[in-house]
Amino acid sequence: MVKSTIDWFLEPNLVSGWIYDDGKLFDIEVKKNERIIGMGKNNSYRNDLESSGFGSCAFTIETTENFSYYDVMSGAIKVFYIDNNKILEVFPRSEVLNSVKFKIFSCLLNDMKSMKKEELEIYLYNEKKSIKDDLYYAQVAAISSINNNKIPMPINENIHHNISKFYTKVGTTSPDLQCEVGRDGNLFLTKGSNNVLEIYKSNFNSDLVKDIAGKWISLIKKRIDFCRGINSKFIEVIIPDKLSGMREYYDGVGSSISPILSKIENDIILNDLSDYYVSGFSAIEEIGFPKAFRKIDTHFSPEGGHTLFKKICKKICPSYNISSIFNIDYISTGDIGKRVFGQDIYEICTKASDPSFYKDREILEQIWPKPGKFTGGRTVFKNNNAPFAKKVVGFGNSFMNDFQSQASLGYWFSTFFQEFHLITQADVDLDYIKKVNPDVVIGQTVERFLAFTPSA
């Protein structure tokens, strides 16, 4: 049975995907408005397909005529393969089309950066009349994050008028029993798949904690030795859970990291591994956890992401001295609010202006995770005008993978380093590191995941 998909479209002229039928080769055609603009075969190697047992069945076709993401969404661009004289279509996955939609939206937002205040007022006036309120205010929030000085509503001094504060009893639990309301408008993930509160109940000197810490120390040593063998530097980064730094906002208990993380950090010192480790807890302590974490989200604020990024950079480039001023307010939703209240709620966040060289950042390659998965994706960035002329490969999770948001490590690495490979997985892919030969390899995880040690 033939299996096929399109993995990505890249303006102005690249289409990539795969077709598998037990090693069979097919002639492939890319059409624009029913005209053939590219041809190829499914005979390219790709590591993820090889590991899945599909072999070399990928294709990347460079078209002879340029196309836009608008062409993709309109259905003007289609891909076909020929099987026994039958012409059959290859369809993109839904998340690929969602990515294209986002790229179109990103282009629109980029155009809005240069729009005058009067033009934005007219645009929003017309939008208000023609779309639903929730979509309209979502547009306002998005535009305000990139054009805060021009958008008529909200702007810096009036943005608070567009958020309504209300009172909810501390300890209120979400309907799915996974999250709780804390003090001062903070929401906390207390259970989840890793049962967050339980990680603080273990005993520092227990055999279980010693065993987990021992596995992590062994793993970090292996990662360091491997990278040293190919003249790369390895850095392990562990990010604390929001509860570790803000426990007093949850139940009044003093804030501290879990016994497992405490034991790992203690053993890192005893094993002389401090040069290869960045403590997220220590880094965030410098600015304070309430400033570093979002109120209605489990992740960092832009300033929190930048603070940890600076600490990592000190291990890579001791002369790092590029600062950012966080003075642009914008409205954003979060990953917990909807679970607690059944609909999105919003908070005011503060970001910095993008550096001048941010506009030069390019995506060279983008592979999305398999449907229904959050890991296994890869995005490769290139920025010849970035200040740090180093190649970095980062293996991480949701604290790294949102390269559009300043709250994410992915934004900072892909902006400030001339080449950055963002890979969303817990295991460090040794074969990929050998192939890419980076200057720096980063392994990033989160405190509540520490009970599960990666295999590499």
Side-chain angles (χ1 to χ4, degrees), residues 13 23 74-75 80 89 123-124 137 198 207 261 296 309-310 327 330 380 433 440:
N13 61 348
S74 69
F80 300 91
E89 186 171 355
Y123 170 80
L124 289 174
Y137 286 111
E198 290 298 315
D207 290 339
L261 180 53
I296 60 173
F309 171 70
K310 287 195 298 183
N327 60 359
Y330 66 99
V380 180
I433 293 174
V440 181

Side-chain angles (χ1 to χ4, degrees), residues 11 67-76 100 103-105 107-108 111:
E11 286 184 347
F67 63 84
S68 69
Y69 295 128
Y70 297 97
D71 291 325
V72 175
M73 291 310 303
S74 69
V100 172
K103 289 171 181 174
I104 291 173
F105 184 57
C107 292
L108 291 173
D111 290 341

Side-chain angles (χ1 to χ4, degrees), residues 240-298:
D241 267 86
K242 187 176 176 179
L243 272 171
S244 290
M246 300 183 65
R247 189 65 181 262
E248 62 268 29
Y249 289 86
Y250 169 64
D251 59 5
V253 175
S255 294
S256 65
I257 56 178
S258 65
I260 293 174
L261 180 53
S262 180
K263 177 64 174 171
I264 290 173
E265 293 200 339
N266 182 70
D267 289 356
I268 282 172
I269 295 172
L270 294 177
N271 284 271
D272 295 323
L273 301 177
S274 298
D275 287 343
Y276 308 94
Y277 177 69
V278 173
S279 167
F281 189 90
S282 297
I284 295 306
E285 270 189 319
E286 295 184 7
I287 65 168
F289 276 76
K291 185 184 289 187
F293 274 90
R294 303 264 311 280
K295 285 182 177 294
I296 60 173
D297 200 283
T298 58

Side-chain angles (χ1 to χ4, degrees), residues 89-125:
E89 186 171 355
V90 184
F91 295 97
R93 303 194 308 273
S94 59
E95 58 264 34
V96 174
L97 292 179
N98 287 338
S99 172
V100 172
K101 290 178 185 176
F102 180 78
K103 289 171 181 174
I104 291 173
F105 184 57
S106 298
C107 292
L108 291 173
L109 291 179
N110 189 56
D111 290 341
M112 288 176 180
K113 282 184 179 180
S114 59
M115 288 179 71
K116 297 177 181 179
K117 180 179 179 180
E118 296 77 13
E119 294 173 327
L120 278 174
E121 287 177 346
I122 295 171
Y123 170 80
L124 289 174
Y125 175 75

Side-chain angles (χ1 to χ4, degrees), residues 148 154-163 329-331 348:
N148 230 16
I155 56 176
N156 284 348
E157 59 269 28
N158 294 326
I159 195 169
H160 294 266
H161 296 174
N162 296 283
I163 294 286
D329 291 341
Y330 66 99
I331 299 174
I348 297 170

